[in-house]
Amino acid sequence: MRPEILFQLFSPVSKLKGIGPRLTALIEKLAGPNIIDLAWHLPTGLVIRHQISELTPEFVDRNVVVALHIDHHLPSRNRRAPYKIQCEVGVQSLTLTFFNGRENYLRQQLPEGSDRLVSGKLEEYGGTYQITHPDYITTREMAADIPLSEQVYPLTAGLTNQTFIKAARQFLPMLPDLPEWQDASLLSREGWTGWRESLLAAHAPTEEADFSRDAPARARLAYDELLANQLALELIRRSMKRKPGRSLIGNGKIREKILRALPFSLTGAQNSALSEIEADMAGAHRMLRLLQGDVGSGKTVVALLAMATAVEAGAQATIMAPTEILAHQHFNAIEPLATEAGLSCLLITGRLKGKKRTETLEALASGAVDLVVGTHALFQEDVKFHDLGLAIIDEQHRFGVHQRLALSAKGRDGKGGVDVLVMTATPIPRTLALTAYGDMDVSIIAEKPPGRKPVDTRAIDLERLDAVADGLGRKLAAGERIYWVCPLVEESQVLDVAAAEERFAHLKTLYGDQVGLIHGRLKAEEKDATMRRFMSGEISILVATTVIEVGVDVPEATVMIIEHAERFGLAQLHQLRGRVGRGGLEGTCLLLYAPPLGETQKARLAILRETEDGFRIAEEDLRLRGAGEILGTRQSGLPEFRIADLHDHSRLLAIARDDARLVLEKDEKLGSARGKALKTLLYLFERDSAIRYLSG
Ligand code: ADP
Ligand code: MG
């Protein structure tokens, strides 16, 4: 239950005076539904107003406060013309201009013949000075009403800065004095004040430096947020580890057979990842490990060997993929090796139906099956294992945190928890891994199998698209295969599909039946069928939207063409490029772009040409774009940060991680004074669900 001291902060913004239904809807979209969301909506600018008594060119385009005498009103003749009011400043003239101005209101505020004090941005228009929509109108006696400096909030159409300022005037005095949850020595070392004081200061900047992410008030609030995140993850992690684990120790016999059947030997990176995994499996605690490895780094075989160890130890193992195609691909890669080593291996997807399904589930429940490859279908209630020991989840970012917990619940009562290994091909910058997967241990395969040639990556003007299309014939003649990826069209799947269909028709006129099409609106079966035809070589050019992004392995594919590459994220481009040049043949990646490119877009394409190091690319991506976009916040279960910035505050994140671990080591029930205050912090940043994991 949320502590009472936070009730007011979590009441709806409509409780504030002057915020009716229209503004509520706008604020909800921009900041969030509650007063606390307004509190986190920090200003990003500052207006400085100059008091002037004479109009001079040097003040044009600046904010001024000026006393004026109202001469006469010039109501607008038609709806589009502005309402003007002619005024005098000493001997000079100034026009006040209002678009859609209401006459009654303006005559009441600015009566002819009276004196007023107004503020606003001074402009020069048609040879005269003017102020459009003054932000304050008052009398000389009430000059103090116009602040000489004022914070500016991030806005959206329909919301004015004054709305936020008025709201802030109401809720800032309401901020409760919360018990301090930060360590006193950290506060003094960093020069930070308390939460309330910091929040007040963050809303009352007086100079540019106050907006910097290092400004003490902002840094303190960012640290609060990061600590809440790390504490929540650490609570989950501790609770998982506290559950009795199970020691899975193999005798190496099955592994040996698989290794002998492989046409290659493992790389050093694969071997060390495997030892880390096996040490976890052997340990008495539950494994929760993330295996990161760039596309093509060889995660599948590591997964298979870990599963073999589980089977040697007498348990079953499963690997789950995010799509049907990938599940099939894993099955095709794993099944022959497994069979060779004497293991029985089955596939479970949503397509498995009727008698076949019943038989499969029976074999699974009786223990006749050792390994299961599957999709989400594995989550179904009636899928029961005889004795699941190891669950591997591939391409994690398509699954949420809750799903990885759900799968680990498929273990057998009394046997202890299922060991969980999550594999991702999205190289995640260290900082992101900490916030999204802080509850897991991490292994990294940084080295690629030997013999891979770098992919020849080129940026090409879209104008040369026809020449590119014409040139594909040579590759086809050599038996090579080509991906042609069409862009996201403003997040609209309908338009995406239209673009892909158009390109498909175009290439078909050139290459006939050798061209296939795959996009997100096709049924899973249709996608699978087309993908299989591409794998088998029945078709050689695959036109696609980004559905091919994840994991698909076609060794003969050598060319990746990406239309409107400037619209894709860096990590996404890297993933796409990773689809080619896997079979020993040299790969080519053509990034077709529409000029002119912005600075960021140029930088993106340049990095891609420069390196194939997924981690470097991911770091750059984080720098250029920000965290949410990289993994797609919604899909990944990645937390959204209100104040903290994962790039700028990475130093604070590392401190928060250590802090969270230390706190829970000393006070695992959060029962001390600081512990109780930290619970309030978790509620404040809406990490309520983590509180369930508090022990006892
Ligand atoms: P990913 O990490 O993207 O899932 P895969 O496991 O699909 O990568 O491996 C990519 C390709 O590299 C596969 O064809 C696999 O057989 C091959 N491979 C894996 N490990 C090695 C290795 N040590 N030496 C040579 N080839 C390897
Ligand atoms: Mg893979």
Side-chain angles (χ1 to χ4, degrees), residues 659-676:
D659 201 0
R661 293 207 167 170
L662 215 63
V663 164
L664 288 173
E665 238 156 64
K666 282 194 294 201
D667 177 19
E668 70 170 348
K669 297 190 171 156
L670 294 181
S672 66
R674 184 179 178 206
K676 287 191 184 122

Side-chain angles (χ1 to χ4, degrees), residues 296 299-300 326 329-330 394-395 423 425 551 582:
K299 294 181 294 296
T300 315
L326 281 170
Q329 183 175 300
H330 278 323
D394 193 13
E395 311 293 358
M423 307 201 295
R582 294 168 73 107

Side-chain angles (χ1 to χ4, degrees), residues 322-599:
T323 65
E324 192 99 25
I325 295 178
L326 281 170
H328 276 281
Q329 183 175 300
H330 278 323
F331 185 74
N332 294 338
I334 286 171
E335 202 258 351
L337 290 164
T339 308
E340 178 115 4
L343 303 180
S344 104
C345 182
L346 286 180
L347 177 68
I348 294 184
T349 71
R351 269 205 271 164
L352 186 63
K353 299 235 162 74
K355 189 153 161 267
K356 187 96 193 292
R357 183 166 192 274
T358 315
E359 281 169 13
T360 303
L361 294 191
E362 273 169 16
L364 192 61
S366 73
V369 173
D370 303 308
L371 305 185
V372 180
V373 181
T375 57
H376 287 83
L378 286 171
F379 286 127
Q380 288 159 349
E381 189 88 29
D382 59 347
V383 175
K384 293 200 174 70
F385 290 83
H386 171 65
D387 181 13
L388 181 64
L390 171 66
I392 301 180
I393 307 177
D394 193 13
E395 311 293 358
Q396 159 74 10
H397 65 287
R398 299 278 169 120
F399 295 114
V401 178
H402 294 290
Q403 285 168 312
R404 75 187 177 227
L405 296 179
L407 194 62
S408 69
K410 290 261 177 193
R412 186 151 116 179
D413 290 342
K415 279 268 191 175
V418 175
D419 280 337
V420 175
L421 178 69
V422 171
M423 307 201 295
T424 174
T426 311
I428 302 164
R430 247 177 48 79
T431 43
L432 273 191
L434 262 186
T435 55
Y437 304 108
D439 57 332
M440 302 190 135
D441 301 303
V442 179
S443 294
I444 295 177
I445 306 185
E447 163 199 5
K448 295 229 176 123
R452 296 272 162 83
K453 296 198 187 74
V455 176
D456 180 13
T457 305
R458 295 185 214 172
I460 295 177
D461 192 324
L462 253 179
E463 278 200 346
R464 289 174 52 204
L465 186 142
D466 281 332
V468 168
D470 289 337
L472 298 179
R474 206 165 35 88
K475 292 283 181 189
L476 294 181
E480 300 179 26
R481 279 171 229 163
I482 296 154
Y483 290 107
W484 189 301
V485 178
C486 295
L488 271 175
V489 183
E490 294 178 352
E491 310 281 312
S492 147
Q493 218 184 24
V494 180
L495 293 181
D496 276 10
V497 171
E501 275 169 349
E502 192 188 318
R503 186 63 57 227
F504 172 64
H506 168 211
L507 290 170
K508 235 175 144 51
T509 63
L510 297 173
Y511 302 108
D513 287 345
Q514 297 185 83
V515 192
L517 171 66
I518 192 166
H519 58 66
R521 295 197 126 200
L522 295 175
K523 289 209 188 73
E525 293 94 278
E526 295 172 292
K527 278 191 266 188
D528 270 25
T530 307
M531 204 60 224
R532 282 210 197 86
R533 283 165 61 219
F534 186 63
M535 287 171 170
S536 71
E538 212 180 306
I539 53 175
S540 303
I541 301 180
L542 186 63
V543 179
T545 52
T546 41
V547 290
I548 58 160
E549 187 188 339
V550 175
V552 182
D553 197 0
V554 181
E556 295 83 1
T558 56
V559 184
M560 170 63 65
I561 295 166
I562 304 169
E563 239 182 271
H564 280 291
E566 78 282 358
R567 294 188 192 160
F568 290 82
L570 251 188
Q572 210 176 8
L573 291 172
H574 174 67
Q575 290 280 320
L576 288 170
R577 176 172 60 179
R579 301 288 131 232
V580 297
R582 294 168 73 107
L585 288 167
E586 192 173 335
T588 308
C589 177
L590 303 182
L591 306 167
L592 300 184
Y593 67 90
L597 294 181
E599 285 308 310

